[in-house]
Amino acid sequence: MAKMTMVQALNLALHQEMEKDDRVIVLGEDVGLDGGVFRVTDGLIHKFGAERVIDTPLAESGIAGFSIGMALYGLRPVCEMQFSGFDYFAMHQMESHAARLRWRSQGRFSVPMVLRAPCGGGVRALEHHSESREAYWAHTPGLKMVIPSSPRNARSLLISAIRDPDPVVFYEPKAVYRAFREEVPEDEETLPIGTSQIVREGKDITLISYGATLHPTIEAASELKEKHGIEAEVIDLLTISPLDDELFTASARKTGRVVVVHEAPRSFGPGAEVVARLVEKAFLYLEAPIRRVTGFDIVIPLFQREQEYLPGVYRIVQAVRETLNF
Amino acid sequence: MPRKEIDLPYRVDHLSILDEEGKLDSSIEPLIPDEVLLKIHRTMILARRFDERMLILQRQGRIGTFAPIKGQEAQIGAAAVLEPDDWLVPSFREMPAELWRGKKMESILLLYGGYNEGGYVPEAVNNLPVAIPVGSQTLHAAGLAYAIKYRKQRQIAMTFFGDGATSEGDFHEAMNFSAVFQVPVVFVIQNNHWAISVPRSRQTHSKTLAQKALAYDMPGLQVDGNDVLAVYAGAKEAAERARAGGGPSLIECVTYRMSMHTTADDPKKYRTEEEVEAWIKRDPITRFQKYLTAKGLLTDDTIAAVDAEVQSEIKAAEERWAQQVEKALDPLDMFAHAFAEMPPHLLAQKEELRQELAGRKKAE
C-alpha cells in the first residue's frame, strides 16, 4: 500500500479504470498534456493517447453535452469541469438530458457518465473558484451526487461512479486534494454510492458532515473528548444524493442530539435535507434542536476572509456544547 | 506588413433542383431509385395527414400541446440518406423524419397524449427521443459521432434543429466540437423562418444560416428546403463526406412553418396571411407530386390511393394507441426508469403514492 494524496488516488482510479475498460474516456479543459489544473488526469494522455484523453475546446456545456452523446453510444465518459464554479454552464445539459434520457426513452438509453469538478474553498483562490453548490445537483431528479472526503474513499467512489449505470456528479473538495496522505491499496476497491459511514463512534451527540468539512468535524470531536469528555459520533455522508438516511437516523436515535456541518450556504443546503429526514424519522428521540454549522448565505468572501466564513473547529465545538446544554 | 485578404476555403452555395412549379433541373437531378422516391412521397403524405389528424385530436382535447410540422415534410429527403444504423438526433418538429425512420404513430400519440411510455425507443432503432430545449440536442449528435469515430464504425449522426437554435450557445459548441474533432455528423437546420413569433431576421444578422459553418471551417450549404430532391442531394453529399472521414457539414434547409409553433399559439398575431399564402404556393408535396407525375411514377388516381392508404394507416394507429393507453393507466409507473435501480427514497415515495391512491379509491 502506498500513501497517497487525494489527487494521486483519483489519478490511480482513472488509470486503473481506463486500463480495464476501453469505454472509459476522459475529457475536459487542459486534461491532456497539462494533466488538469490540479493534475488529477496527469499522465493519462501518455498512456491512453489523445483519443481517450481529450483536451476539449473551452465550453462546459459542450463538454457535458458531448459526454452525453458518447454515453448514449455506450461509452463511459468522465468529464472534468475545471472548477465547480464554472459548471453552471453544464447544468442545463445535465438537468435537461443526462438526468432524463433513461426516463425519456423509457429505458432504451442511459447516460453512464461522470461529471467531476473540484469544489469548495480554503485554497486562497479567485472569485468563482471556491463555491459549494452541491445542493443544485442533489435537487435534480435522475442525478447522483457524490463528495468524497479522503484519498482512499475518493478513489473507491470514483471507480463506483464510473461503473454506475446512471450519471454521477462527483465533487472533489480541493482543500483536501493535497492536505494529507492516506494508505490506498493498489488493488481495486469500490464503495457503494448512496452509503454513508461512521468515521468515529460516540454516544453523546451525532455530527454529520462530508467533504472538506469532515476534517474540522473530526478535529472538533477529538477536542470535545479531550477537553470536555464529550463523545461525539461522526458520520461522513459521502453521497449527497441519494442520501443514506438510515445510518444517521440510527445514530440520532442513540445520541438524541445532532449537529450538521457543511461549507455550502445554509438555506436549502444539504443540511436542511438531513434535518428534515431526522424530523421525519427520529423526532421523538431528539433531546435538543438540531444545529446547522455551515457557510453563510452570502457569496463566499475572497480569501482574506474565507477562514472566517468556513465552518471551523471552534464553530463546531461551540454548536455541540450549546446543543448538549440545551 | 500589408493588410491583405485571407484566403478562406469555403463559400456558400444555394441548391435548388425542383422549382416551385415542379420544374426539374435535370443536370443535377439526384439518382434515387423509383421505389425510394415513392416511399419518400408516401411518407410525406403520411406526415401531412397525421399532422392534420393530430391537430384535430388536440382541438378535441384527446392529446396535449404539440408542434405541427405542416410545410416541413421535405425534411424526409435528409433522413432518407441515412442507413438504418445511423443516428437521428431530432428536435421537436421532426415527426416526418421520425416516421421515415420507423417511429410508430401510436407511440407519438401516446407521448403527446401525456404518457411517458410514448418516449420509448425500440432496441435497434437509433433515434434519440424528441429534445425540447432548443439546440441542446446538437451536442449529443456531436458526442455520438465522436463515439462512432472512436469505435471506427461506418455510422454517422444527423441532427435537426430550427433557425432559432442557431442563436443558442449549444449549437455553436456542437459545431465547434464537431469541427475540431472532425467527427461524422450532419447538422440540418430547418429554417422555417419563425421561432414562435420572432422572425428569422431577428435571430441573426447573417445573410444565410449556412454561412455559420464558415466560422468553423466546415462546409455549409443552403438548399431549398421545400424541394425534397435538393434536401436529399445536399444531405447525401454531407453524409458521404462524413462517412468517408471528411468531418461535419451544415445544411440550411429554407422551408416554412405553415402552421403554428405549437397548438398553444396563434400565428395571426405576428405574421401576415399574405406571407403564408406565398409559401403555400411553394408546398413541398405538390411540387414533388408534379415531378413524380412527370416521371410517370404517379397519377391522380395513385395519389388518391396513397392518400386513402395513409388515412387507414392512421386510423389503425389510433386503435393501437387506444389499446396502449389501456395498458398505461397505472400512475405508479411515473416512477419507472428514474434510475437503473430504484434508490430507497424513491421506493418509499412510490409506496407513499400507492397508499394515497388506495385511500382515494376507498374514499370515492
Side-chain angles (χ1 to χ4, degrees):
Chain A
M1 280 217 274
K3 280 201 149 205
M4 290 185 185
T5 63
M6 185 184 275
V7 166
Q8 291 167 327
L10 290 164
N11 186 263
L12 174 69
L14 290 170
H15 267 282
Q16 289 184 329
E17 278 306 279
M18 290 189 81
E19 200 149 55
K20 193 169 237 184
D21 184 351
D22 72 355
R23 295 174 302 173
V24 181
I25 304 273
V26 164
L27 67 156
E29 296 156 12
D30 307 293
V31 298
L33 288 178
D34 197 35
V37 294
F38 287 101
R39 309 289 175 263
V40 173
T41 59
D42 208 24
L44 294 174
I45 194 164
H46 300 303
K47 199 158 174 191
F48 303 105
E51 222 187 354
R52 290 184 69 194
V53 184
I54 311 167
D55 271 325
T56 64
L58 204 166
E60 290 78 7
S61 184
I63 292 166
F66 202 60
S67 299
I68 291 169
M70 288 187 201
L72 289 167
Y73 197 82
L75 301 183
R76 300 251 160 173
V78 181
C79 70
E80 176 173 303
M81 300 282 114
Q82 202 151 73
F83 286 88
S84 69
F86 306 121
D87 66 17
Y88 319 122
F89 287 104
M91 189 167 279
H92 143 67
Q93 281 290 338
M94 299 303 288
E95 151 71 50
S96 305
H97 298 300
R100 295 169 184 234
L101 273 156
R102 176 187 293 283
W103 167 82
R104 189 181 296 141
S105 68
Q106 294 287 292
R108 163 65 199 283
F109 297 116
S110 58
V111 185
M113 68 177 282
V114 182
L115 182 136
R116 295 181 36 245
C119 71
V123 298
R124 299 173 66 83
L126 290 164
E127 191 193 349
H128 308 291
H129 293 67
S130 302
E131 287 72 14
S132 299
R133 298 288 184 267
E134 50 272 21
Y136 292 164
W137 302 105
H139 194 65
T140 304
L143 291 184
K144 295 179 183 177
M145 206 301 134
V146 172
I147 309 187
S149 59
S150 79
R152 187 166 178 175
N153 63 38
R155 188 274 194 110
S156 319
L157 282 166
L158 183 56
I159 292 181
S160 299
I162 295 170
R163 294 182 188 173
D164 198 279
D166 288 301
V168 178
V169 176
F170 194 91
Y171 268 12
E172 299 159 4
K174 65 177 92 67
V176 184
Y177 264 162
R178 293 188 170 79
F180 63 94
R181 288 169 187 271
E182 187 182 27
E183 298 280 355
V184 177
E186 176 67 23
D187 286 346
E188 129 190 345
E189 222 182 18
T190 59
L191 263 180
I193 289 173
T195 308
S196 57
Q197 285 182 343
I198 293 177
V199 292
R200 182 187 172 109
E201 290 193 11
K203 59 177 176 40
D204 299 325
I205 190 164
T206 302
L207 309 184
I208 304 169
S209 189
Y210 59 87
T213 53
L214 180 75
H215 302 288
T217 306
I218 293 170
E219 260 184 73
S222 305
E223 190 180 311
L224 286 161
K225 171 79 174 138
E226 284 156 24
K227 292 193 183 158
H228 309 286
I230 297 164
E231 291 182 21
E233 183 143 291
V234 180
I235 290 178
D236 184 356
L237 290 179
L238 296 167
T239 298
I240 308 304
S241 178
L243 185 64
D244 171 13
D245 57 20
E246 288 195 10
L247 196 67
F248 68 65
T249 301
S251 177
R253 285 180 176 180
K254 178 176 76 179
T255 63
R257 290 179 165 85
V258 179
V259 172
V260 191
V261 185
H262 59 62
E263 65 181 87
R266 184 175 306 160
S267 298
F268 308 95
E273 182 62 28
V274 170
V275 174
R277 301 274 181 114
L278 286 168
V279 169
E280 286 165 357
K281 299 189 171 190
F283 184 69
L284 293 175
Y285 297 82
L286 297 175
E287 304 282 349
I290 303 168
R291 282 285 294 271
R292 285 179 285 169
V293 177
T294 65
F296 303 109
D297 293 341
I298 52 173
V299 177
I300 183 167
L302 298 183
F303 64 84
Q304 295 293 359
R305 297 191 182 94
E306 71 175 334
Q307 290 307 327
E308 285 75 38
Y309 172 94
L310 295 169
V313 176
Y314 180 85
R315 198 184 295 166
I316 299 165
V317 167
Q318 286 304 108
V320 168
R321 297 192 66 201
E322 284 165 24
T323 304
L324 282 161
N325 293 332
F326 176 77
Chain B
M1 295 301 232
R3 175 171 170 156
K4 57 176 188 178
E5 191 180 333
I6 297 169
D7 186 24
L8 292 172
Y10 302 112
R11 58 204 175 105
V12 177
D13 289 345
H14 177 90
L15 179 66
S16 160
I17 298 173
L18 275 180
D19 73 8
E20 287 175 26
E21 306 304 321
K23 211 170 135 273
L24 174 76
D25 182 341
S26 54
S27 68
I28 46 174
E29 181 185 7
L31 289 170
I32 307 176
D34 289 351
E35 66 273 17
V36 177
L37 286 170
L38 289 172
K39 193 183 162 199
I40 291 173
H41 171 256
R42 191 177 197 287
T43 311
M44 287 172 80
I45 300 289
L46 178 65
R48 173 72 57 95
R49 297 289 171 253
F50 185 48
D51 189 59
E52 289 165 355
R53 182 64 190 150
M54 282 177 75
L55 199 52
I56 291 168
L57 292 170
Q58 194 277 335
R59 295 309 190 218
Q60 291 173 341
R62 294 175 62 199
I63 63 171
T65 306
F66 79 100
I69 58 82
K70 189 178 178 187
Q72 297 184 215
E73 295 84 354
Q75 62 179 250
I76 292 168
V81 309
L82 295 175
E83 299 290 336
D85 67 340
D86 287 336
W87 287 80
L88 175 77
V89 182
S91 75
F92 49 77
R93 214 183 299 279
E94 275 72 62
M95 180 266 276
E98 290 178 305
L99 291 181
W100 175 268
R101 295 270 301 172
K103 179 96 179 167
K104 299 274 181 272
M105 285 184 281
E106 54 269 34
S107 132
I108 296 172
L109 292 171
L110 201 57
L111 182 70
Y112 291 107
Y115 287 101
N116 300 350
E117 288 86 340
Y120 176 67
V121 181
E123 289 299 328
V125 174
N126 288 341
N127 297 350
L128 292 195
V130 161
I132 294 178
V134 170
S136 59
Q137 74 282 5
T138 55
L139 280 164
H140 310 157
L144 282 163
Y146 188 92
I148 290 166
K149 189 175 175 184
Y150 172 63
R151 289 300 193 202
K152 301 185 170 48
Q153 298 298 303
R154 266 195 87 253
Q155 295 157 295
I156 64 167
M158 178 181 280
T159 182
F160 286 77
F161 49 95
D163 41 310
T166 65
S167 302
E168 289 278 6
D170 277 358
F171 159 71
H172 292 277
E173 294 183 25
M175 293 279 286
N176 191 37
F177 275 60
S178 300
V180 166
F181 298 115
Q182 288 294 294
V183 295
V185 60
V186 180
F187 293 90
V188 183
I189 308 175
Q190 288 285 293
N191 171 8
N192 69 14
H193 287 85
W194 291 94
I196 306 190
S197 67
V198 177
R200 144 74 180 84
S201 60
R202 286 292 288 268
Q203 291 301 334
T204 174
H205 190 59
S206 309
K207 195 167 181 183
T208 69
L209 300 178
Q211 77 197 60
K212 308 261 174 201
L214 303 193
Y216 303 99
D217 252 18
M218 184 193 293
L221 174 71
Q222 188 185 66
V223 303
D224 180 340
N226 281 7
D227 168 3
V228 72
L229 295 185
V231 174
Y232 180 95
K236 182 104 181 150
E237 187 181 296
E240 278 171 3
R241 179 163 43 234
R243 230 181 276 286
S249 309
L250 176 69
I251 302 165
E252 174 190 2
C253 303
V254 182
T255 178
Y256 194 74
R257 194 191 81 208
M258 288 189 189
S259 198
M260 59 284 277
H261 161 66
T262 68
T263 47
D265 95 302
D266 175 10
K268 286 195 183 75
K269 237 181 129 181
Y270 49 80
R271 68 184 188 189
T272 64
E273 285 300 302
E274 294 74 44
E275 182 184 301
V276 181
E277 286 300 321
W279 278 95
I280 287 173
K281 292 197 185 104
R282 299 174 205 159
D283 190 306
I285 293 180
T286 15
R287 171 177 340 186
F288 191 41
Q289 285 174 337
K290 281 182 190 163
Y291 165 73
L292 294 175
T293 307
K295 230 175 148 61
L297 291 174
L298 283 182
T299 63
D300 287 350
D301 286 350
T302 50
I303 290 174
V306 168
D307 224 308
E309 271 171 44
V310 304
Q311 294 285 17
S312 62
E313 231 180 274
I314 292 167
K315 202 158 170 264
E318 281 184 52
E319 279 158 22
R320 289 193 297 275
W321 168 43
Q323 288 161 10
Q324 292 189 3
V325 167
E326 287 297 311
K327 278 191 278 176
L329 287 177
D330 190 351
L332 289 175
D333 288 345
M334 73 170 79
F335 286 93
H337 306 295
F339 292 100
E341 199 181 324
M342 204 180 281
H345 71 291
L346 288 187
L347 286 169
Q349 289 173 22
K350 187 177 176 183
E351 175 57 21
E352 201 178 299
L353 178 63
R354 196 192 62 75
Q355 287 181 17
E356 181 195 324
L357 295 172
R360 276 158 68 163
K361 210 167 174 185
K362 231 171 161 182
E364 274 165 19

